[in-house]
Amino acid sequence: MADRDHLELAEVEAGAEADAGSRTAVDAAAPTRATAAIPAVFVVLWSSAFVAAVIGTDAAPPLLLTFSRFAVAGVLLAIVALAAKVPWPRGRMLLHVIVVGLLMQAVQFGAFYTAIGAGLPGGVVALVQGFNPVLIALLAGFLLGEEITGRQWLGFAIGGAGVALAVAGALHFSTGAIVLSFVGLLGLSVGTVYQKRYTQGVDVRSGTAVHFLAGAPVMGVLTLTLEDPEVTDWGAFGGALAWIVLINSVGTFLLLNFMLKKQSASRVGTLFFLTPAVTALLAWIVIGQTLSLSAIIGLLLGGAGVLLAARK
């Protein structure tokens, strides 16, 4: 009887351990699935910024919109970082974080928004930004020593073709606006690689807050110097600003910094191949622009390119 009682007790304990193991596996699987979904969420949210920028620059000058974005987002993230009591970058690290902020925020969005305000369609700006992976791959190869395989270069080529097709029907531009869009691309690419090399270990919340707070004074001086900072439609401006701040400034850059900590710079950069096609799709949904056949084909090619380029 005693042996049978011990056996039954052992079976109960084994069952309890199995149940605990199952629960642990389920609990571990949930974060894994959530982490796997981050790139897709990032692409959609990042792409929505171009639609919001078109609406915002129709209601106010582009540099004023950029300054407002940085100021509000910087204060919000600073409050979050202070409430969480996370460490702030100091000394030489703080200088590196400020450089990243000026490149990835002030240069990129100051140039992009000015190009959109000059009449360059958001989809075309997304097209230019879509070449970010190629530039990042080259910079990462030279500066970070990251290996780029033949499969990845093939993915870059296919993705680039998809990017071009996705917005092929929207090429209405001026020379100055195109130059500005490439200046924005350079700021994003150099800033991404610089961040990967020099600011590892910086808390995402405090680091991103510094990015915005460093860029805000620069944009403030520029809008007062180069523009007439007047809002013509407060409803459209407020709605676009709220979306850009809460979703694009806070949400997407937290996701971007998180992914940069987990993956190589060139692999994260491949996600930008999808933004032109997704931007075209969002523009169709939000603004009512018809999705062309070339955009659909570009979306498929862009997805195939990302799939290839993301695999080592």
Side-chain angles (χ1 to χ4, degrees):
M1 176 66 78
D3 291 340
R4 186 172 64 186
D5 290 342
H6 283 302
L7 179 59
E8 291 175 351
L9 179 60
E11 289 174 349
V12 170
E13 292 175 347
E17 291 177 357
D19 290 341
S22 298
R23 286 194 299 270
T24 302
V26 171
D27 292 341
T32 301
R33 288 193 295 268
T35 302
I38 286 177
V41 173
F42 170 79
V43 169
V44 173
L45 295 183
W46 187 279
S47 300
S48 70
F50 296 102
V51 179
V54 173
I55 297 172
T57 53
D58 283 342
L63 295 179
L64 175 60
L65 177 63
T66 312
F67 163 74
S68 302
R69 169 182 181 166
F70 292 173
V72 177
V75 170
L76 287 178
L77 274 176
I79 293 173
V80 170
L82 290 172
K85 298 181 179 179
V86 300
W88 288 77
R90 299 177 182 276
R92 183 179 296 273
M93 180 60 73
L94 176 60
L95 294 178
H96 285 312
V97 174
I98 290 174
V99 171
V100 172
L102 293 177
L103 289 170
M104 292 185 68
Q105 302 294 340
V107 174
Q108 180 191 185
F109 289 105
F112 279 165
Y113 283 6
T114 303
I116 291 175
L120 192 66
V124 177
V125 176
L127 166 66
V128 175
Q129 191 189 70
F131 288 96
N132 180 50
V134 176
L135 189 53
I136 282 183
L138 294 174
L139 292 173
F142 284 114
L143 300 179
L144 304 183
E146 294 183 3
E147 180 185 359
I148 307 299
T149 67
R151 182 193 296 270
Q152 286 181 296
W153 283 116
L154 178 60
F156 292 153
I158 295 175
V163 165
L165 282 175
V167 291
L171 297 179
H172 306 290
F173 53 83
S174 68
T175 303
I178 282 292
V179 171
L180 281 172
S181 65
F182 277 100
V183 170
L185 167 65
L186 187 63
L188 170 62
S189 301
V190 175
T192 300
V193 176
Y194 190 99
Q195 174 174 281
K196 188 70 175 178
R197 181 169 185 175
Y198 292 109
T199 66
Q200 291 295 299
V202 174
D203 184 86
V204 172
R205 291 157 292 185
S206 60
T208 309
V210 172
H211 291 175
F212 290 127
L213 294 176
V218 176
M219 290 298 104
V221 171
L222 289 178
T223 187
L224 290 174
T225 304
L226 303 177
E227 297 177 335
D228 180 13
E230 181 181 353
V231 178
T232 58
D233 186 340
W234 279 101
F237 178 78
L241 180 61
W243 182 268
I244 289 172
V245 167
L246 297 177
I247 303 301
N248 301 128
S249 294
V250 178
T252 59
F253 272 94
L254 289 177
L255 291 177
L256 178 60
N257 288 332
F258 175 81
M259 290 188 297
L260 285 172
K261 289 178 179 294
K262 302 296 182 181
Q263 302 175 12
S264 68
S266 59
R267 185 171 183 177
V268 172
T270 60
L271 295 174
F272 291 96
F273 270 139
L274 288 176
T275 57
V278 176
T279 298
L281 179 61
L282 291 177
W284 172 60
I285 295 173
V286 176
I287 306 177
Q289 295 178 348
T290 302
L291 190 64
S292 66
L293 178 60
S294 64
I296 296 174
I297 297 174
L299 177 62
L300 296 175
L301 282 178
V306 169
L307 181 63
L308 282 175
R311 297 178 59 188
K312 285 287 187 180

